[in-house]
Amino acid sequence: MTTTEIPVQPRRAVKASQKRKFIIEAVVVVAIALILVMILPLFLSGFRLNLVGRFLALAIVALGIDLIWGFTGLLSLGQGIFFAWGATPLPCI
């Protein structure tokens, strides 16, 4: 019975390639976000831009709840206090 050897990469090479891949993905995401920030005001009205801003703020809150609930398994609404605290002076603007 013969066994075939599977070539194994050193752990450093795997970690370096993963790190490089992560950096490339982060740069692409930041570039897309910057392009959208520069282009959206040219095509959208003030009302639509306000709506996009609200949706993005709610998306950040949803991501925070998802991360806390996903990693710990506990529903914590503590960050909701800070979200509401920040939204309190909004009618005054």
Side-chain angles (χ1 to χ4, degrees):
M1 185 160 109
T2 62
T3 60
T4 58
E5 293 184 20
I6 300 172
V8 178
Q9 293 181 350
R11 292 192 112 186
R12 289 184 185 168
V14 172
K15 287 184 181 180
S17 67
Q18 288 176 345
K19 186 176 181 181
R20 192 175 319 119
K21 185 177 177 183
F22 176 74
I23 290 173
I24 290 171
E25 289 175 1
V27 167
V28 168
V29 168
V30 168
I32 290 172
L34 287 175
I35 289 171
L36 284 176
V37 164
M38 287 187 260
I39 290 178
L40 279 179
L42 298 175
F43 296 107
L44 296 178
S45 65
F47 173 75
R48 298 285 180 192
L49 280 175
N50 190 10
L51 214 56
V52 168
R54 287 183 187 195
F55 290 158
L56 290 175
L58 291 173
I60 291 171
V61 172
L63 276 172
I65 291 173
D66 182 48
L67 286 173
I68 290 175
W69 205 350
F71 280 117
T72 63
L74 300 171
L75 179 59
S76 171
L77 298 176
Q79 71 272 15
I81 294 169
F82 297 107
F83 184 71
W85 195 14
T88 301
L90 188 64
C92 298
I93 294 177

